[in-house]
Amino acid sequence: METKIVKAFGTEALNVPLHVMNIRRRELQSHDVEMEILYCGICHSDLHQIKNDFGHTMFPIVPGHEIVGRVTAIGEHVTKFKVGDLSAVGCIVDSCGKCEYCGDGIEQFCDEGVTFSFNSPDKYLGGATYGGFSESYVCNEKYVLHVPKTLDLASAAPLLCAGITVYSPLKHWQAGPGKMVGILGIGGLGHVAIKIAKAMGAHVVVFTTSPSKVEDAKRLGADEAVLSTDAMQMERYARKMHFILDTVSAKHDVNTYLHLLKPDGSVVLVGLPPEPLEINAFSVVSGRHSFSGSNIGGIAETQEMLDFCARHNITAEIELINVQQVNEAFSRLQKGDVKYRFVIDMASLKK
Ligand code: NAP
Ligand code: ZN
């Protein structure tokens, strides 16, 4: 297959800082869209993968799955986009399209395994897919999203992963009026979750380990914010919560949060701590509690989320950086030193 060489920012090996490299993009297929990448968010999943936290990183790796761009070319059968349109790609760039789950719009659970925008087997070129820390992306139009014109493009980029990852479970577990919804961990995912849960009409309670985020959570729209390291404050919420969305990226005690649920309440994990979590029998048995999980969201739901965010004027709070600052950004993200999402201005890759 014909390929096009494009500039990217990635690394060939563990513990080697990311740097400029050349990668190949496939020639445009009849249903493909090619886009110039304008902005790309930095998610904690990018950090987990470059550290090989889950043991399945395929090097060389080019991270990035919160991609906003502009269409530069289209295949002959493309109908959803024209050259010059705003466009976006999130986590999913391919799936079988035939199984029960693709049919239900939950392509992330495709029977044949979904293709992610980076670090997934590339069906066209072999090797791994390369993500959005690059000049351009090529993808079947089915997996390309429309970016509502009213959204600021740089701060909308994190919606493509952080946004859908929290929107999908909040909707599935029916966050809304009359519901006490907890958000655990106020990072990239958590801060967007506050805004989305609030827009859905829920009463939002934030649980954070960071004293500096207690007040800030209210600025972001939370009704209440609790320092989770303060046992006295925590006890006030025992049996109060219908639902808690857990976005924590490292090992933590989920029993503490199961204890805050009303009978029949759920703690839903979207964070990906690399180590197993322990659950005490009584944390779930008492109160018929559920501990569950959720993984990103399907393509139609991602578009629905973008349109919802446009209606409610929701974007991420970002720190815009140049691609040359990516390694520093990863070490700050590791320390929790970002309010609340790094986004790369991809024009800097041309420098
Ligand atoms: P992030 O910006 O680093 O935020 C994570 C937050 O978790 C931190 O800001 C901190 O919040 C809290 N935290 C971190 N370490 C902690 C610890 N040891 N104990 C307690 N709290 C801690 O990360 P993110 O980009 O939001 O991603 C969060 C997690 O979700 C990552 O594991 C990521 O890989 C995963 N993820 C999953 C999906 C999915 O589909 N399931 C999609 C995207 C990302 P406070 O300072 O408020 O305590
Ligand atoms: Zn992500």
Side-chain angles (χ1 to χ4, degrees):
M1 176 182 284
E2 290 281 312
T3 56
K4 187 169 171 181
I5 304 288
V6 304
K7 239 171 150 183
F9 215 75
T11 182
E12 291 84 3
L14 196 63
N15 299 324
V16 174
L18 278 70
H19 53 268
V20 176
M21 54 166 65
N22 286 328
I23 57 166
R24 295 183 304 143
R25 293 290 184 207
R26 67 173 182 254
E27 68 176 344
L28 222 55
Q29 307 294 294
S30 60
H31 285 283
D32 279 350
V33 164
E34 178 199 65
M35 69 185 76
E36 174 197 12
I37 301 177
L38 302 174
Y39 299 101
C40 187
I42 304 184
C43 173
H44 206 112
S45 298
D46 296 315
L47 178 58
H48 285 308
Q49 297 289 6
I50 59 170
K51 287 165 58 199
N52 196 20
D53 274 350
F54 310 124
H56 56 64
T57 300
M58 295 183 272
F59 289 99
I61 184 171
V62 174
H65 55 280
E66 294 182 335
I67 302 167
V68 166
R70 196 176 285 285
V71 175
T72 44
I74 55 171
E76 54 181 331
H77 292 134
V78 167
T79 55
K80 264 175 77 180
F81 291 90
K82 56 183 192 321
V83 171
D85 283 353
L86 292 173
S87 55
V89 168
C91 305
I92 302 175
V93 294
D94 210 354
S95 66
C96 82
K98 298 189 287 277
C99 74
E100 177 184 351
Y101 305 103
C102 286
D104 287 346
I106 42 177
E107 297 92 347
Q108 69 271 34
F109 307 129
C110 173
D111 269 342
E112 290 182 18
V114 70
T115 304
F116 292 111
S117 37
F118 79 108
N119 195 42
S120 249
D122 186 324
K123 288 184 196 165
Y124 293 84
L125 301 179
T129 53
Y130 295 126
F133 293 8
S134 58
E135 274 178 294
S136 64
Y137 208 91
V138 174
C139 178
N140 185 304
E141 64 170 334
K142 257 168 68 178
Y143 305 93
V144 183
L145 290 310
H146 289 283
V147 185
K149 286 199 174 66
T150 55
L151 293 178
D152 174 71
L153 296 184
S155 43
L159 299 177
L160 275 304
C161 175
I164 184 59
T165 300
V166 301
Y167 178 88
S168 184
L170 286 167
K171 186 179 168 197
H172 186 82
W173 273 271
Q174 299 170 338
K179 293 283 178 70
M180 289 284 281
V181 169
I183 308 294
L184 172 51
I186 306 308
L189 268 56
H191 92 287
V192 176
I194 297 174
K195 297 183 184 193
I196 291 179
K198 197 62 204 159
M200 288 175 170
H203 185 94
V204 176
V205 182
V206 155
F207 298 98
T208 177
T209 60
S210 305
S212 72
K213 294 181 190 168
V214 173
E215 275 311 304
D216 215 26
K218 293 186 185 152
R219 179 183 64 81
L220 293 168
D223 296 288
E224 302 175 55
V226 183
L227 191 60
S228 55
T229 50
D230 180 337
M232 294 250 288
Q233 279 191 48
M234 288 291 280
E235 198 47 39
R236 292 213 314 268
Y237 292 86
R239 292 173 66 87
K240 292 278 191 307
M241 310 304 302
H242 289 99
F243 172 81
I244 297 176
L245 186 66
D246 181 345
T247 77
V248 174
S249 53
K251 187 161 187 179
H252 58 290
D253 183 9
V254 292
N255 299 288
T256 314
Y257 299 94
L258 287 162
H259 175 70
L260 305 184
L261 294 175
K262 285 174 177 289
D264 283 329
S266 302
V267 169
V268 174
L269 182 70
V270 289
L272 300 170
E275 306 83 12
L277 303 173
E278 280 165 15
I279 294 182
N280 299 333
F282 288 104
S283 297
V284 284
V285 167
S286 312
R288 201 160 55 189
H289 295 154
S290 299
F291 180 75
S292 191
S294 185
N295 195 22
I296 51 173
I299 294 298
E301 194 173 44
T302 304
Q303 189 62 59
E304 176 188 308
M305 174 279 307
L306 286 169
D307 298 340
F308 176 93
C309 288
R311 279 200 306 285
H312 294 275
N313 200 19
I314 293 172
T315 52
E317 315 257 317
I318 66 160
E319 197 173 319
L320 193 64
I321 61 166
N322 288 334
V323 77
Q324 293 78 8
Q325 295 166 277
V326 155
N327 294 300
E328 183 196 338
F330 275 126
S331 61
R332 283 183 51 198
L333 180 60
Q334 176 73 48
K335 289 183 277 189
D337 175 24
V338 52
K339 282 192 172 146
Y340 283 92
R341 196 60 136 191
F342 288 114
V343 172
I344 310 167
D345 179 352
M346 291 310 306
S348 59
L349 187 57
K350 298 196 177 89
K351 283 183 191 161

